Amino acid sequence: PGAGVRAMNVVLVHDWLTGMRGGERVLERIAARHPGAPIHTLVWKRGSVSPALESHPIATSFLQRLPGAESRYRWFLPLFPRAIESLRLPPCDAVISTSHAVARGVVPPPGAFHLSYVHTPMRYVWDQRGRYLDPIPRLLRPVVETRFARLRQWDMVSSARVDRLVANSRLVAWRIKHYWNRNAEVIPPPVATEYFTPGGNRGDSLLTVAALVPYKRVEVAIAVARKLGRTLEIVGTGPLTRSLRRLGGPDVRFLGWIDRAELREAYRRAAALLVPNVEDFGMVSVEALACGTPVVGLAQSGTADIIRGGVE
């Protein structure tokens, strides 16, 4: 800043820091523009995100002190609103939240402008709630549905705390309007297309890159590969790892989370990337396309923002 101009004091808020997925990549790019800005989050698993993010001061909620919170934080979903509202942000000029669950429901300090980059309204209680209810025993579903209804109400009311909303795709902007009755500007997330480039030898195997959670529908990718008689490589981990391994069989390889260099090679050798779920945007699809890998996805997905059908 020039003489007499004060640098803006920014605080960052994110849902949780337990791995480097798409949301954390976006946070990493935002954090790079605000060196030293504190990051407030529900739960932090040390060493699970990039050194660049962990170089920032990180503050967590009371969930951090609960047994198993670093790996089983999803079990505490009913506590998420209370936990995010319990965060005490220091005085600042602006709060920037990156949110696919509750981060944008944080209570900003007096006078602070709140900008929220929204990957989606809370999918557990809105468009994907059926998939999260499926594994719940039938006798317990009324209780869970009541919890979900309370979370939906909180989600709508707390969205009013945000001064300006940014969506990562047209689909997410539609959800924000539909669920919260708010308008959002669409700004696609940053993707390292200068790193993900064509190269190597392309093979016949298929690829899926996803967290192994219900809404990603990885079981559909397994079924497609089996029907085509192709080997499938799966990059990702999550609570469904064990059940998907049982489903997969000998022609499905589970690679877990791999580093960027290994991921680039996985894209380069794949015949196609399978994206069987409705993506909010689809950073993985952009990475695959940048490597010259065809993408098979759903027309009603956020993926439709970046893919034109039939174009090679």
Side-chain angles (χ1 to χ4, degrees):
V5 178
R6 183 175 64 86
M8 180 175 288
N9 186 13
V10 172
V11 173
L12 307 176
V13 183
H14 191 66
D15 291 306
W16 45 77
L17 295 172
T18 59
M20 285 301 292
R21 295 172 282 269
E24 289 71 40
R25 295 291 179 193
V26 173
L27 175 64
E28 185 180 51
R29 296 290 286 270
I30 295 172
R33 300 185 67 87
H34 302 283
I39 301 173
H40 290 249
T41 188
L42 296 181
V43 175
W44 171 31
K45 183 178 181 180
R46 292 175 184 271
S48 66
V49 294
S50 69
L53 283 176
E54 295 197 341
S55 70
H56 289 250
I58 297 176
T60 58
S61 73
F62 66 80
L63 293 182
Q64 186 78 30
R65 300 189 296 273
L66 298 181
E70 291 184 5
S71 58
R72 297 184 176 90
Y73 51 89
R74 293 181 181 88
W75 291 8
F76 305 117
L77 176 63
L79 298 178
F80 283 5
R82 180 183 165 195
I84 202 69
E85 291 177 344
S86 75
L87 294 177
R88 293 295 176 256
L89 307 189
C92 61
D93 299 308
V95 174
I96 302 176
S97 61
T98 55
S99 180
H100 71 275
V102 297
R104 52 119 203 97
V106 72
V107 179
F113 183 88
H114 184 185
L115 170 71
S116 187
Y117 190 95
V118 180
H119 298 288
T120 185
M122 206 181 335
R123 60 176 64 92
Y124 317 103
V125 299
W126 293 111
D127 54 300
Q128 296 288 336
R129 68 181 182 272
R131 294 195 61 82
Y132 285 90
L133 280 171
D134 282 346
I136 303 296
R138 190 173 297 276
L139 289 176
L140 294 179
R141 286 186 188 179
V143 176
V144 177
E145 276 282 27
T146 299
R147 294 280 189 178
F148 279 8
R150 291 175 182 169
L151 284 168
R152 284 194 295 274
Q153 183 179 25
W154 176 88
D155 204 44
M156 288 186 291
V157 171
S158 62
S159 69
R161 296 180 191 145
V162 182
D163 295 292
R164 187 163 184 181
L165 292 162
V166 176
N168 65 1
S169 69
R170 289 177 295 170
L171 173 61
V172 170
W174 178 89
R175 289 175 185 163
I176 288 171
K177 182 66 174 178
H178 187 67
Y179 300 139
W180 300 343
N181 197 29
R182 295 284 308 274
N183 294 319
E185 181 180 358
V186 177
I187 301 178
V191 180
T193 53
E194 73 285 353
Y195 180 82
F196 291 99
T197 55
N201 298 314
R202 196 165 300 283
D204 295 325
S205 63
L206 302 173
L207 176 67
T208 289
V209 181
L212 305 186
V213 293
Y215 86 95
K216 290 292 187 179
R217 302 178 72 216
V218 175
E219 72 280 1
V220 175
I222 292 173
V224 169
R226 181 177 292 129
K227 186 171 184 179
L228 295 176
R230 298 285 191 96
T231 299
L232 175 67
E233 292 189 332
I234 298 175
V235 174
T237 60
L240 298 185
T241 299
R242 185 175 299 177
S243 61
L244 289 171
R245 281 185 180 276
R246 288 197 298 266
L247 180 65
D251 293 327
V252 179
R253 296 180 57 213
F254 289 82
L255 306 183
W257 284 118
I258 56 181
D259 64 31
R260 288 214 309 168
E262 293 173 308
L263 179 58
R264 181 171 63 179
E265 292 310 307
Y267 287 136
R268 288 173 172 177
R269 66 175 175 261
L273 175 77
L274 302 183
V275 186
N277 63 298
V278 174
E279 280 289 328
D280 306 321
F281 171 76
M283 294 174 69
V284 163
S285 296
V286 178
E287 293 172 351
L289 291 171
C291 290
T293 306
V295 175
V296 181
L298 303 179
Q300 68 269 32
S301 172
T303 306
D305 278 14
I306 54 176
I307 294 177
R308 286 182 294 165
V311 177
E312 296 184 0

